[in-house]
Amino acid sequence: MIDLRSDTVTKPSLAMRQAMAEAEVGDDVFGEDPSVNRLQEKVAELLGKEDALFVPSGCMANQVSLKVHTQPGDEVILEYGGHVFNYETVAPSILSGIQLHPLPGVNGVLTAEQIEEAIRPPAYYMPRTRVIELENTHNRAGGTIYPLDGIKSIRSLAERHGITMHLDGARLWNASVATGIRMKEYAKYFDSVSVCLSKGLGAPVGSVIAASKEFIATARRYRKIFGGGMRQAGILAAAGIYAIDHNIGRLTEDHANARVLAERAAENPFFSVDLATVQTNIVILGIRGKKLEVETLIRKLAERGVLVSAGSPGKLRAVTHLDVSRTQVEEAAEILSGFAA
Ligand code: TLP
């Protein structure tokens, strides 16, 4: 079975497990886990922020960050296909008492102009626009990269309006490797950034929030409140450190593999593939031919040996990662190009 459902399906390699087994640990609720501390310092440095906090998941990284940014009754502007809006179980309303204000982007990307129009006037009976949240790369749009110039314009708009910015950078590594723009260059336009170790980098668990010292001190309180205070978490942090040290550069292979997959699938009139959106490791397959339920299609592809997942409504998503080789990708590409319902 060639598993292209997500880059979250990777399993820790032997060398990563070795690093985990040998990790120095301590009680992280007391701030005494040397491996967790090392990972946090490493990510803070990589993102050019004062401090960082290890959390169990990407969802928690986003939710803790939004909690720190907002008060109940506040509103967050984000893109309609964003992870926080679609796949985080309404957590912002449940945990922070805030409202999301989604705007339709082009390939997941919003412009400063459309955000400006959505900012609420300061009337006491309206929500208070507090945060702009962007996602880079944008998962549901197909791993698309936010243009840096666009981010800069949004930042200056946010500053003019006294609005803070959060980046869901679950796959910021992919954006950085694909463009050559350093992680800290992307990060400097945001007050808080979350990155995931458990996606393309192949760690089993974990995300990191990077921000100012003050922000992280408050985030640490909310991490505890949300149940994310872990004890000898160094065993997990060691996997994250290993992932950062060994698995960033190789993301170019995943990107090249996604392109192979997309180009071959595009040869099949059954699928519609927008090659311009295949910028990193995600391929969105529209269905042009005989209309089949996405679930049926997923089953039929699984019968032929390829696992994909559901993308936005009526679409399939295939994600390349470090546990699928070029040979397997070519095999999957062959199956997609010859697929007939
Ligand atoms: N994304 C998962 C699914 O939830 C869709 C996947 O398979 O891609 N931000 C972004 C941009 C994400 O893609 C994800 C996970 C998260 C946050 C949440 O991370 P976890 O799963 O660690 O909570």
Side-chain angles (χ1 to χ4, degrees), residues 27 44 83 165 194-195 247 319:
D27 190 330
H83 196 275
M165 285 181 58
S194 64
V195 289
N247 293 343
V319 187

Side-chain angles (χ1 to χ4, degrees), residues 269-272 285-298 300 312-316 339-341:
F270 185 84
F271 296 116
S272 71
L285 302 166
I287 301 147
R288 222 197 263 120
K290 194 168 114 199
K291 285 287 173 208
L292 282 185
E293 289 291 324
V294 162
E295 292 313 319
T296 312
L297 215 58
I298 289 175
K300 282 178 179 280
S312 49
K315 293 187 174 163
L316 301 176
F339 179 81

Side-chain angles (χ1 to χ4, degrees), residues 186-210:
Y186 278 119
K188 81 176 184 208
Y189 302 100
F190 296 86
D191 302 283
S192 59
V193 179
S194 64
V195 289
C196 287
L197 303 161
S198 60
K199 313 237 155 21
L201 296 199
V205 174
S207 289
V208 183
I209 305 167

